[in-house]
Amino acid sequence: MPAFWYTDSFTSRALIPAAGLYGAITSLRRKAYRRGWLESLPAQVPVIVVGNITVGGTGKTPLVAWLVERLREQGWRPGIVSRGYGSSAGKGPVRVKPASSADEVGDEPLLLARRTAAPVYVGADRPAAVAAAATQAGCDIVVSDDGLQHYRMQRSMEIAVIDGERRLGNGRLLPAGPLRERAQRLDEVDLVVVNTAEPSEEEVSFSLIPGRPQPVIKGGAYWPGGPAHAVAAIGNPQRFFRTLAQLGIEAEEHPFADHHKFGANDLAFADNGYSKPIIMTEKDAVKCANLPQSARCWYLPVVVEPSSELADKLDAQLHKLSTSY
């Protein structure tokens, strides 16, 4: 992410006119859906959108995985829909299978399909993906991974996720800042959830708890320890690198752009005849299993630990949904 998105810099100020134009366009678009000038399609099952109003990683995908498990515990049959960023799914809908490739369906949907074993559908036509989850897979509730600004898809609940470190950056709209929508949009969602930070009075929180490094190749060796290479192609790679340091893993950092498609050259690190292990995020691991270096690759799984306030407020919202459908 550009550094000027998080400061009151000259570059950011120079882009304020462009941000004003962007804001006018997005406001007009939302008004068009509210007034019925553009069609917003209803769903036959409740839809929960887990998204954000900023560009960049917020911990949204692990929260979706936790939410799916929470729904199962309460007797729901949840499914997941996603745009499938960088995939070949097109309009879709395409069902994600555990054996799918990230090129076909996108890295985050593939991670979610393998982690949750829930039906996952991807495609640019999000309402069609919701319909497929309901009619083809028998889901009685659908979680949309991202899509807060996808107003063509009607929703029953909105959860906005905020990164606890970067929050809303300099508070400006794209391209002067990281905001997709004005900060006031948070006043309209059902839950504002902050990742790994002390929440404000209007927010609830969760933490990401790392597990033990796992081999990218199923059945591979145990984590050998020692110096390593750390790879991250996520919205906020520095958070991952700091987590490794907190776990005592000494690693040379290799950040990549979010959703980067890895090739063999990306992991061809020269170590003077000694091949250090490579550790990465789970989101990156789904793209690296077939690379020549996969035998020396591990990933760090993370799970959501919700605050009691998050769990209580979510359960209250789910109770409302169960009585309205």
Side-chain angles (χ1 to χ4, degrees):
M1 302 298 118
F4 68 80
W5 279 359
Y6 304 96
T7 63
D8 183 25
S9 66
F10 172 80
T11 303
S12 176
R13 291 182 184 182
L15 290 170
I16 287 177
L21 177 61
Y22 173 86
I25 293 171
T26 56
S27 295
L28 180 61
R29 178 176 173 273
R30 189 158 189 227
K31 182 185 288 186
Y33 278 107
R34 283 182 162 178
R35 298 276 180 92
W37 303 336
L38 293 175
E39 186 179 18
S40 184
L41 302 178
Q44 66 188 74
V45 298
V47 175
I48 302 174
V49 173
V50 181
N52 48 37
I53 66 166
T54 59
V55 175
T58 59
K60 172 179 52 63
T61 299
L63 186 65
V64 168
W66 172 80
L67 176 56
V68 165
E69 292 306 316
R70 189 82 175 185
L71 290 166
R72 279 204 186 107
E73 291 169 1
Q74 298 187 13
W76 297 89
R77 299 188 304 277
I80 301 171
V81 299
S82 175
R83 170 65 180 84
Y85 181 88
S87 75
S88 61
K91 287 187 67 176
V94 173
R95 179 148 183 184
V96 181
K97 301 175 183 178
S100 297
S101 73
D103 287 342
E104 295 171 327
V105 299
D107 48 16
E108 290 167 347
L110 183 55
L111 184 161
L112 287 167
R114 292 177 178 177
R115 170 84 75 91
T116 68
V120 180
Y121 287 84
V122 297
D125 190 341
R126 209 85 56 111
V130 172
T135 59
Q136 297 177 19
C139 300
D140 59 7
I141 193 167
V142 171
V143 180
S144 177
D145 181 19
D146 212 353
L148 197 61
Q149 292 78 34
H150 194 94
Y151 293 115
R152 186 168 172 267
M153 175 183 64
Q154 291 187 17
R155 66 287 309 267
S156 309
M157 185 193 308
E158 293 183 326
I159 300 174
V161 188
I162 296 175
D163 178 80
E165 297 176 350
R166 299 181 298 178
R167 297 196 71 89
L168 304 185
N170 59 19
R172 292 174 181 150
L173 291 166
L174 292 166
L179 296 189
R180 298 171 172 177
E181 296 183 275
R182 291 183 170 88
Q184 291 81 356
R185 177 71 171 88
L186 295 176
D187 298 332
E188 303 173 10
V189 304
D190 298 283
L191 287 175
V192 179
V193 187
V194 61
N195 175 3
T196 317
E198 191 67 31
S200 70
E201 207 170 295
E202 297 79 24
E203 300 168 345
V204 290
S205 65
F206 70 93
S207 298
L208 292 175
I209 307 302
R212 177 180 296 179
Q214 300 294 316
V216 167
I217 297 178
K218 191 174 182 180
Y222 288 106
W223 172 247
H229 293 282
V231 169
I234 58 177
N236 186 4
Q238 290 305 319
R239 180 188 289 277
F240 175 67
F241 297 145
R242 282 195 297 272
T243 298
L244 295 179
Q246 290 164 3
L247 294 173
I249 297 175
E250 179 188 343
E252 183 179 341
E253 300 173 2
H254 303 276
F256 291 84
D258 196 13
H259 300 289
H260 177 75
K261 293 184 178 181
F262 286 96
N265 290 338
D266 294 323
L267 304 182
F269 303 121
D271 297 318
N272 297 321
Y274 168 69
S275 295
K276 295 179 186 176
I278 302 169
I279 189 164
M280 59 187 61
T281 70
E282 189 172 3
K283 173 178 163 179
D284 296 321
V286 301
K287 297 177 286 189
C288 295
N290 295 321
L291 295 181
Q293 300 89 353
S294 58
R296 60 187 283 209
C297 292
W298 282 259
Y299 68 90
L300 186 72
V302 295
V303 296
V304 163
E305 183 177 272
S307 65
S308 58
E309 292 81 9
L310 168 56
D312 291 346
K313 288 190 175 183
L314 174 66
D315 290 349
Q317 293 287 341
L318 293 177
H319 178 71
K320 289 180 184 178
L321 281 184
S322 66
T323 58
S324 61
Y325 270 81

PDB file of all heavy atoms in Angstrom, residues 212-216 278-282 285 297-301:
ATOM      1  N   ARG A 212       1.116 -23.870  14.789  1.00  0.00           N
ATOM      2  CA  ARG A 212       2.444 -24.402  14.478  1.00  0.00           C
ATOM      3  C   ARG A 212       2.629 -24.427  12.963  1.00  0.00           C
ATOM      4  O   ARG A 212       1.695 -24.761  12.230  1.00  0.00           O
ATOM      5  CB  ARG A 212       2.573 -25.812  15.042  1.00  0.00           C
ATOM      6  CG  ARG A 212       3.891 -26.505  14.728  1.00  0.00           C
ATOM      7  CD  ARG A 212       3.939 -27.883  15.324  1.00  0.00           C
ATOM      8  NE  ARG A 212       3.890 -27.838  16.785  1.00  0.00           N
ATOM      9  CZ  ARG A 212       3.908 -28.919  17.552  1.00  0.00           C
ATOM     10  NH1 ARG A 212       3.966 -30.127  17.005  1.00  0.00           N
ATOM     11  NH2 ARG A 212       3.859 -28.797  18.861  1.00  0.00           N
ATOM     12  N   PRO A 213       3.818 -24.073  12.446  1.00  0.00           N
ATOM     13  CA  PRO A 213       4.038 -24.140  10.995  1.00  0.00           C
ATOM     14  C   PRO A 213       3.726 -25.519  10.438  1.00  0.00           C
ATOM     15  O   PRO A 213       4.081 -26.547  11.030  1.00  0.00           O
ATOM     16  CB  PRO A 213       5.526 -23.799  10.858  1.00  0.00           C
ATOM     17  CG  PRO A 213       5.835 -22.959  12.060  1.00  0.00           C
ATOM     18  CD  PRO A 213       4.995 -23.549  13.168  1.00  0.00           C
ATOM     19  N   GLN A 214       3.051 -25.526   9.294  1.00  0.00           N
ATOM     20  CA  GLN A 214       2.637 -26.763   8.632  1.00  0.00           C
ATOM     21  C   GLN A 214       3.293 -26.866   7.262  1.00  0.00           C
ATOM     22  O   GLN A 214       3.500 -25.854   6.585  1.00  0.00           O
ATOM     23  CB  GLN A 214       1.119 -26.785   8.466  1.00  0.00           C
ATOM     24  CG  GLN A 214       0.335 -26.706   9.753  1.00  0.00           C
ATOM     25  CD  GLN A 214       0.543 -27.929  10.622  1.00  0.00           C
ATOM     26  OE1 GLN A 214       0.527 -29.059  10.129  1.00  0.00           O
ATOM     27  NE2 GLN A 214       0.768 -27.696  11.910  1.00  0.00           N
ATOM     28  N   PRO A 215       3.605 -28.085   6.816  1.00  0.00           N
ATOM     29  CA  PRO A 215       4.220 -28.225   5.489  1.00  0.00           C
ATOM     30  C   PRO A 215       3.216 -27.912   4.384  1.00  0.00           C
ATOM     31  O   PRO A 215       2.039 -28.260   4.481  1.00  0.00           O
ATOM     32  CB  PRO A 215       4.635 -29.698   5.448  1.00  0.00           C
ATOM     33  CG  PRO A 215       3.721 -30.383   6.417  1.00  0.00           C
ATOM     34  CD  PRO A 215       3.458 -29.380   7.508  1.00  0.00           C
ATOM     35  N   VAL A 216       3.675 -27.242   3.341  1.00  0.00           N
ATOM     36  CA  VAL A 216       2.812 -26.939   2.208  1.00  0.00           C
ATOM     37  C   VAL A 216       2.395 -28.220   1.499  1.00  0.00           C
ATOM     38  O   VAL A 216       1.262 -28.347   1.037  1.00  0.00           O
ATOM     39  CB  VAL A 216       3.524 -25.969   1.241  1.00  0.00           C
ATOM     40  CG1 VAL A 216       2.793 -25.879  -0.095  1.00  0.00           C
ATOM     41  CG2 VAL A 216       3.630 -24.593   1.878  1.00  0.00           C
ATOM     42  N   ILE A 278      11.349 -22.083   3.865  1.00  0.00           N
ATOM     43  CA  ILE A 278      10.552 -20.924   3.450  1.00  0.00           C
ATOM     44  C   ILE A 278       9.220 -20.994   4.181  1.00  0.00           C
ATOM     45  O   ILE A 278       8.527 -22.015   4.105  1.00  0.00           O
ATOM     46  CB  ILE A 278      10.322 -20.926   1.929  1.00  0.00           C
ATOM     47  CG1 ILE A 278      11.654 -20.928   1.171  1.00  0.00           C
ATOM     48  CG2 ILE A 278       9.471 -19.731   1.509  1.00  0.00           C
ATOM     49  CD1 ILE A 278      11.515 -21.198  -0.320  1.00  0.00           C
ATOM     50  N   ILE A 279       8.881 -19.933   4.879  1.00  0.00           N
ATOM     51  CA  ILE A 279       7.617 -19.900   5.596  1.00  0.00           C
ATOM     52  C   ILE A 279       6.743 -18.789   5.030  1.00  0.00           C
ATOM     53  O   ILE A 279       7.243 -17.706   4.698  1.00  0.00           O
ATOM     54  CB  ILE A 279       7.815 -19.742   7.120  1.00  0.00           C
ATOM     55  CG1 ILE A 279       6.482 -19.924   7.850  1.00  0.00           C
ATOM     56  CG2 ILE A 279       8.507 -18.437   7.482  1.00  0.00           C
ATOM     57  CD1 ILE A 279       6.625 -20.175   9.331  1.00  0.00           C
ATOM     58  N   MET A 280       5.449 -19.074   4.902  1.00  0.00           N
ATOM     59  CA  MET A 280       4.531 -18.154   4.239  1.00  0.00           C
ATOM     60  C   MET A 280       3.177 -18.195   4.926  1.00  0.00           C
ATOM     61  O   MET A 280       2.945 -18.973   5.858  1.00  0.00           O
ATOM     62  CB  MET A 280       4.393 -18.539   2.763  1.00  0.00           C
ATOM     63  CG  MET A 280       3.883 -19.949   2.531  1.00  0.00           C
ATOM     64  SD  MET A 280       3.922 -20.451   0.771  1.00  0.00           S
ATOM     65  CE  MET A 280       5.664 -20.331   0.387  1.00  0.00           C
ATOM     66  N   THR A 281       2.265 -17.369   4.447  1.00  0.00           N
ATOM     67  CA  THR A 281       0.903 -17.385   4.971  1.00  0.00           C
ATOM     68  C   THR A 281       0.141 -18.558   4.354  1.00  0.00           C
ATOM     69  O   THR A 281       0.517 -19.106   3.311  1.00  0.00           O
ATOM     70  CB  THR A 281       0.157 -16.083   4.634  1.00  0.00           C
ATOM     71  OG1 THR A 281      -0.112 -16.043   3.227  1.00  0.00           O
ATOM     72  CG2 THR A 281       0.982 -14.862   5.036  1.00  0.00           C
ATOM     73  N   GLU A 282      -0.968 -18.914   4.992  1.00  0.00           N
ATOM     74  CA  GLU A 282      -1.800 -19.992   4.451  1.00  0.00           C
ATOM     75  C   GLU A 282      -2.392 -19.595   3.103  1.00  0.00           C
ATOM     76  O   GLU A 282      -2.564 -20.432   2.216  1.00  0.00           O
ATOM     77  CB  GLU A 282      -2.912 -20.321   5.447  1.00  0.00           C
ATOM     78  CG  GLU A 282      -3.714 -21.551   5.098  1.00  0.00           C
ATOM     79  CD  GLU A 282      -4.673 -21.966   6.190  1.00  0.00           C
ATOM     80  OE1 GLU A 282      -4.755 -21.256   7.211  1.00  0.00           O
ATOM     81  OE2 GLU A 282      -5.347 -23.003   6.013  1.00  0.00           O
ATOM     82  N   ALA A 285       0.191 -20.310   0.594  1.00  0.00           N
ATOM     83  CA  ALA A 285       0.521 -21.727   0.469  1.00  0.00           C
ATOM     84  C   ALA A 285      -0.326 -22.432  -0.581  1.00  0.00           C
ATOM     85  O   ALA A 285       0.155 -23.352  -1.254  1.00  0.00           O
ATOM     86  CB  ALA A 285       0.349 -22.419   1.823  1.00  0.00           C
ATOM     87  N   CYS A 297       8.874 -25.599   1.837  1.00  0.00           N
ATOM     88  CA  CYS A 297       7.909 -24.551   2.184  1.00  0.00           C
ATOM     89  C   CYS A 297       6.972 -24.985   3.305  1.00  0.00           C
ATOM     90  O   CYS A 297       6.466 -26.117   3.308  1.00  0.00           O
ATOM     91  CB  CYS A 297       7.073 -24.169   0.971  1.00  0.00           C
ATOM     92  SG  CYS A 297       7.992 -23.326  -0.330  1.00  0.00           S
ATOM     93  N   TRP A 298       6.753 -24.077   4.225  1.00  0.00           N
ATOM     94  CA  TRP A 298       5.786 -24.254   5.303  1.00  0.00           C
ATOM     95  C   TRP A 298       4.880 -23.018   5.351  1.00  0.00           C
ATOM     96  O   TRP A 298       5.242 -21.965   4.817  1.00  0.00           O
ATOM     97  CB  TRP A 298       6.498 -24.395   6.652  1.00  0.00           C
ATOM     98  CG  TRP A 298       7.086 -25.745   6.908  1.00  0.00           C
ATOM     99  CD1 TRP A 298       6.581 -26.752   7.678  1.00  0.00           C
ATOM    100  CD2 TRP A 298       8.318 -26.263   6.399  1.00  0.00           C
ATOM    101  NE1 TRP A 298       7.400 -27.850   7.678  1.00  0.00           N
ATOM    102  CE2 TRP A 298       8.483 -27.572   6.888  1.00  0.00           C
ATOM    103  CE3 TRP A 298       9.300 -25.738   5.553  1.00  0.00           C
ATOM    104  CZ2 TRP A 298       9.575 -28.370   6.588  1.00  0.00           C
ATOM    105  CZ3 TRP A 298      10.392 -26.523   5.227  1.00  0.00           C
ATOM    106  CH2 TRP A 298      10.526 -27.824   5.740  1.00  0.00           C
ATOM    107  N   TYR A 299       3.730 -23.166   5.968  1.00  0.00           N
ATOM    108  CA  TYR A 299       2.859 -22.008   6.172  1.00  0.00           C
ATOM    109  C   TYR A 299       2.468 -21.916   7.641  1.00  0.00           C
ATOM    110  O   TYR A 299       2.508 -22.913   8.381  1.00  0.00           O
ATOM    111  CB  TYR A 299       1.620 -22.069   5.279  1.00  0.00           C
ATOM    112  CG  TYR A 299       0.635 -23.171   5.617  1.00  0.00           C
ATOM    113  CD1 TYR A 299      -0.408 -22.960   6.527  1.00  0.00           C
ATOM    114  CD2 TYR A 299       0.715 -24.431   5.001  1.00  0.00           C
ATOM    115  CE1 TYR A 299      -1.318 -23.967   6.823  1.00  0.00           C
ATOM    116  CE2 TYR A 299      -0.190 -25.433   5.299  1.00  0.00           C
ATOM    117  CZ  TYR A 299      -1.208 -25.198   6.198  1.00  0.00           C
ATOM    118  OH  TYR A 299      -2.108 -26.197   6.495  1.00  0.00           O
ATOM    119  N   LEU A 300       2.098 -20.717   8.046  1.00  0.00           N
ATOM    120  CA  LEU A 300       1.711 -20.461   9.431  1.00  0.00           C
ATOM    121  C   LEU A 300       0.192 -20.294   9.490  1.00  0.00           C
ATOM    122  O   LEU A 300      -0.332 -19.267   9.045  1.00  0.00           O
ATOM    123  CB  LEU A 300       2.395 -19.198   9.952  1.00  0.00           C
ATOM    124  CG  LEU A 300       2.192 -18.905  11.436  1.00  0.00           C
ATOM    125  CD1 LEU A 300       2.998 -19.910  12.278  1.00  0.00           C
ATOM    126  CD2 LEU A 300       2.614 -17.483  11.776  1.00  0.00           C
ATOM    127  N   PRO A 301      -0.538 -21.278  10.011  1.00  0.00           N
ATOM    128  CA  PRO A 301      -1.989 -21.118  10.118  1.00  0.00           C
ATOM    129  C   PRO A 301      -2.337 -20.153  11.249  1.00  0.00           C
ATOM    130  O   PRO A 301      -1.615 -20.049  12.238  1.00  0.00           O
ATOM    131  CB  PRO A 301      -2.474 -22.540  10.439  1.00  0.00           C
ATOM    132  CG  PRO A 301      -1.316 -23.185  11.151  1.00  0.00           C
ATOM    133  CD  PRO A 301      -0.072 -22.575  10.544  1.00  0.00           C
TER     134      PRO A 301
END
